[in-house]
Amino acid sequence: MESIKQQLNAAVSQAMAAISGLSDCNANVVTASKPEFGDYQANGVMAIAKQLRTNPREIAQKVVDHLEALALAPIDKLEVAGPGFINIHLSDSYLLSEANSALQKPDLFIGKSDSPQKIAVDYSSPNLAKEMHVGHLRGTIIGDCLVRVLEKMGHEVVRQNHVGDWGTQFGMLITHLRELEGDQNEQGTQLADLEVFYRDAKERFDNDADFATQSRLAVVKLQSGDPEYVAAWEQFIDESLKHCEAVYEKLAVTLSRDDLDAESRYNDDLPIIISDLESKELLTESDGARCVFLEQFKGKDDELLPLIVQKSDGGYLYSTTDLAAVRLRMRDQIHRSLYVVHARQSLHFQQVFAVAREAGFADDSLSLEHIAYGTIMGSDGRPFKTRSGDSVKLEDLLDEAVKRAHDLVSEKNPELTPEEKTRVAQSVGIGAVKYADLSKNRTSDYVFDWNTMLSFEGNTAPYMLYAYARIRSILRKATAVNTTMIAAVAETEERVLLVKNLQLPEVVAAIAKDCYPNQLCNYLYELAGVFMRFYEVCPILKAEDTSTVQSRLALAQLTAQTLQQGLDLLGIETLEKM
Ligand code: ARG
């Protein structure tokens, strides 16, 4: 089912085509910027007027006349405004019937896409040599929001956790692991902190020539499938994945082991990638390495930039694996492949996508999209680090978030039981970290700041969760009334709130298309604000008559439902009480 905006867009576009004779008309319907401009406004007429070299207001009037003759149910009134905009006022009865069906069938409120797709979402994807750190936060959270949104819209989502589990580092790690083998206890303690484990292994690698030789040998043994080495590697990977899973659980992220799409999975495909590139005459040798040079990738001095696919020692690279993954996704008949990865890898993905197309690994049926995000910065304006300059472990960061939230709720609401405090702290703390991230435009950097994200004011998780809990508490006070029908929108504030509620589906559809979760945060923040204004002006429980009480309660109920559904798509759990 289509959102209101999509329906209006289709109707106005068709009207434009009918009166102009042009086949390709885009009504460009947007939500109205001010209530006096109606509920929506169509901005597309000017473009076709230009094409036809006629007066846009005249065309707009013809479109209006055409639409009026159709007497479409949702539309109450149309008017031509400014240089050729069309203001669209929706009919109250239509709005009420939409809202009431959303209340009766909450699951159907966010309509399914008319053309469901198979979509791979590559996200989180940490390197398993180390523990997850703050650099993995954005990809994990943004990716998880996108999979929730896409699934909600009825798409078939294939989560792909493209973990780095292969490469020379693992030789050093398994050599270190094997040496500790005699001592189970020591192995256990060491693996409990992968950072320390990695540091120790690296130190030995750098300072102990024997160990370094052993490690190089280990890589070769591993690659040739030596069972002992494979077993040690598997043990290490399993341990490292447990660390990731602990983080996913804390973050309430929906990734599981079934979603692994590890780099090692592609080992057997890599020689085929090289031979395919070779037979397509795309390979060039440069300093012994095998590269693909494409015209469109040039550096500062106009020299062509390589995509290196095989090192001079025969080893394969990150790019080779990504090409193999594209090839597989094509075979799996994926329609869209989204890569939620830091912006610094933009060139890598542009090159991989271009080479994949050039080599025929992917055709037009597969859309390849890098969903880039920026860096989390510290208050000093540099990438966020611990005081000693180390990378911040994600696990520690999340524990601190919950602890800070616990202090906050204990202070704000001392009457809560200890169990309630724990639950609230969990939801507020983790929600704060997620919301702070999701509410920023993903392509920008942002400064990580505990005070802002845990504030009860502004576009934050505590504010949103509080807005929800407050509506729920109003509804709890109204035990005796049945709240399933919104009967009227007599007051402006009621109508504005109703219209705002009904916009959730179009916001969700926009995110499914462009992958900017901050649109959902902005929308929910506006919705909460609109509710507060409604609540100030329109008494709910103390309204003049019972039917108004009931209707306003139902409207409050709808708002709670919309907030809950929206926050759920962000991966944030709502609270009845806080
Ligand atoms: N493991 C990589 C890293 O830590 C990210 C992988 C992203 N996904 C991909 N298909 N390249 O940077």
Side-chain angles (χ1 to χ4, degrees):
M1 214 210 54
E2 294 182 313
S3 67
I4 297 179
K5 192 199 238 170
Q6 284 167 323
Q7 289 175 47
L8 293 173
N9 207 54
V12 182
S13 299
Q14 272 162 27
M16 283 164 64
I19 63 108
S20 70
L22 298 170
S23 56
D24 200 19
C25 294
N26 179 4
N28 190 9
V29 169
V30 298
T31 39
S33 50
K34 289 192 188 139
E36 50 279 29
F37 298 158
D39 300 305
Y40 288 85
Q41 118 195 4
N43 296 342
V45 167
M46 268 90 78
I48 63 160
K50 210 168 173 190
Q51 266 185 61
L52 300 169
R53 294 170 205 278
T54 44
N55 179 342
R57 282 192 67 98
E58 251 166 53
I59 303 255
Q61 191 54 53
K62 281 189 189 157
V63 173
V64 166
D65 294 343
H66 184 95
L67 287 166
E68 274 171 355
L70 297 175
L72 301 169
I75 299 175
D76 176 43
K77 194 173 81 183
L78 297 161
E79 63 210 0
V80 176
F85 302 114
I86 300 172
N87 294 343
I88 306 170
H89 300 258
L90 298 175
S91 92
D92 287 358
S93 60
Y94 171 76
L95 291 172
L96 287 168
S97 94
E98 289 292 297
N100 286 320
S101 54
L103 265 176
Q104 273 139 31
K105 300 200 176 88
D107 293 345
L108 301 183
F109 180 34
I110 298 172
K112 303 254 184 267
S113 163
D114 292 333
S115 42
Q117 292 182 311
K118 193 168 174 190
I119 305 177
V121 185
D122 180 326
Y123 73 106
S124 191
S125 308
N127 187 339
L128 296 184
K130 294 189 179 183
E131 242 165 90
M132 287 181 81
H133 57 81
V134 69
H136 299 113
L137 185 64
R138 300 202 78 182
T140 305
I141 297 180
I142 296 169
D144 207 56
C145 171
L146 296 179
V147 298
R148 287 167 190 260
V149 164
L150 294 167
E151 274 176 349
K152 187 79 190 174
M153 293 203 62
H155 297 295
E156 184 189 340
V157 173
V158 187
R159 290 167 177 73
Q160 305 261 266
N161 193 356
H162 192 77
V163 296
D165 65 342
W166 203 247
T168 46
Q169 292 166 320
F170 290 94
M172 154 186 117
L173 294 167
I174 59 182
T175 304
H176 189 48
L177 185 69
R178 278 165 56 83
E179 287 194 355
L180 297 171
E181 207 157 47
D183 191 344
Q184 294 279 330
N185 270 343
E186 185 53 22
Q187 223 183 35
T189 3
Q190 286 252 354
L191 283 172
D193 190 326
L194 289 185
E195 290 311 297
V196 175
F197 189 86
Y198 184 91
R199 211 184 309 138
D200 289 354
K202 179 90 172 79
E203 197 182 296
R204 295 200 55 199
F205 186 83
D206 290 339
N207 301 313
D208 177 343
D210 242 20
F211 183 87
T213 315
Q214 290 282 333
S215 300
R216 287 196 195 93
L217 194 70
V219 178
V220 179
K221 292 255 193 200
L222 180 62
Q223 280 170 351
S224 64
D226 182 309
E228 264 183 48
Y229 287 81
V230 171
W233 171 75
E234 279 172 349
Q235 187 193 349
F236 182 86
I237 296 298
D238 179 58
E239 206 50 56
S240 185
L241 283 171
K242 282 186 193 146
H243 283 269
C244 295
E245 281 155 4
V247 170
Y248 295 154
E249 197 178 320
K250 284 193 176 155
L251 268 178
V253 154
T254 59
L255 283 169
S256 75
R257 287 227 180 181
D258 295 342
D259 305 316
L260 283 179
D261 176 50
E263 287 185 8
S264 61
R265 172 184 181 197
Y266 296 99
N267 288 347
D268 294 344
D269 294 344
L270 305 180
I272 305 171
I273 293 295
I274 303 296
S275 62
D276 275 6
L277 291 171
E278 180 143 55
S279 65
K280 297 257 157 58
E281 294 182 2
L282 287 164
L283 281 189
T284 309
E285 205 153 294
S286 170
D287 291 330
R290 308 177 92 175
C291 312
V292 184
F293 290 95
L294 293 180
E295 262 313 297
Q296 62 265 48
F297 299 106
K298 286 190 183 146
K300 281 192 246 62
D301 316 318
D302 242 24
E303 89 285 20
L304 293 181
L305 296 172
L307 180 71
I308 310 177
V309 289
Q310 193 170 24
K311 291 187 286 187
S312 53
D313 66 4
Y316 302 104
L317 293 109
Y318 185 53
S319 52
T320 332
T321 316
D322 266 331
L323 286 171
V326 170
R327 183 165 156 273
L328 187 68
R329 286 170 201 183
M330 183 68 206
R331 287 200 191 158
D332 287 343
Q333 297 182 324
I334 302 276
H335 299 105
R336 284 176 84 186
S337 185
L338 310 180
Y339 296 79
V340 189
V341 184
H342 196 283
R344 76 170 80 83
Q345 294 192 28
S346 287
L347 178 62
H348 164 79
F349 283 111
Q350 282 175 40
Q351 288 184 302
V352 166
F353 298 165
V355 172
R357 299 237 182 259
E358 210 52 49
F361 298 147
D363 66 23
D364 289 348
S365 66
L366 172 62
S367 159
L368 298 165
E369 303 167 41
H370 177 202
I371 310 302
Y373 57 81
T375 305
I376 302 183
M377 308 296 254
S379 50
D380 57 358
R382 323 192 55 186
F384 189 44
K385 292 265 160 70
T386 61
R387 251 180 233 153
S388 57
D390 295 327
S391 59
V392 180
K393 278 195 200 176
L394 218 38
E395 191 150 28
D396 297 345
L397 183 95
L398 300 176
D399 290 345
E400 179 166 357
V402 175
K403 197 192 151 294
R404 283 178 183 258
H406 197 274
D407 295 346
L408 190 71
V409 283
S410 308
E411 184 192 303
K412 281 239 171 202
N413 199 351
E415 293 93 75
L416 293 178
T417 66
E419 293 75 32
E420 281 172 334
K421 278 184 195 155
T422 310
R423 234 183 82 54
V424 174
Q426 185 66 27
S427 185
V428 171
I430 300 298
V433 172
K434 285 180 144 181
Y435 196 93
D437 197 302
L438 293 168
S439 60
K440 309 293 185 309
N441 183 317
R442 65 172 160 77
T443 56
S444 328
D445 298 343
Y446 74 88
V447 175
F448 189 93
D449 183 64
W450 289 117
N451 292 334
T452 334
M453 72 177 71
L454 285 166
S455 165
F456 275 82
E457 271 150 52
N459 192 8
T460 65
Y463 173 81
M464 294 309 308
L465 290 170
Y466 181 70
Y468 175 82
R470 178 151 164 209
I471 302 177
R472 296 295 302 163
S473 97
I474 298 168
L475 293 168
R476 273 196 302 276
K477 289 192 195 121
T479 41
V481 271
N482 170 1
T483 57
T484 48
M485 274 292 273
I486 307 170
V489 279
E491 300 293 334
T492 313
E493 288 75 13
E494 288 178 293
R495 194 176 184 286
V496 171
L497 179 58
L498 186 76
V499 171
K500 194 82 202 167
N501 267 291
L502 293 177
Q503 287 168 0
L504 178 68
E506 69 199 36
V507 175
V508 173
I511 296 171
K513 185 163 166 284
D514 306 322
C515 307
Y516 284 94
N518 62 316
Q519 296 180 68
L520 181 51
C521 298
N522 291 344
Y523 164 75
L524 293 174
Y525 182 56
E526 283 168 20
L527 176 65
V530 169
F531 179 84
M532 296 304 177
R533 264 188 301 288
F534 154 79
Y535 191 52
E536 270 162 32
V537 179
C538 306
I540 301 181
L541 298 169
K542 296 205 177 83
E544 55 279 10
D545 52 76
T546 346
S547 67
T548 310
V549 173
Q550 298 226 8
S551 178
R552 287 184 182 163
L553 277 170
L555 184 52
Q557 161 90 34
L558 177 66
T559 308
Q561 180 182 307
T562 308
L563 286 173
Q564 195 271 328
Q565 291 195 0
L567 288 167
D568 183 55
L569 291 174
L570 296 172
I572 295 174
E573 202 191 347
T574 48
L575 296 159
E576 293 302 302
K577 222 172 151 185
M578 69 185 274

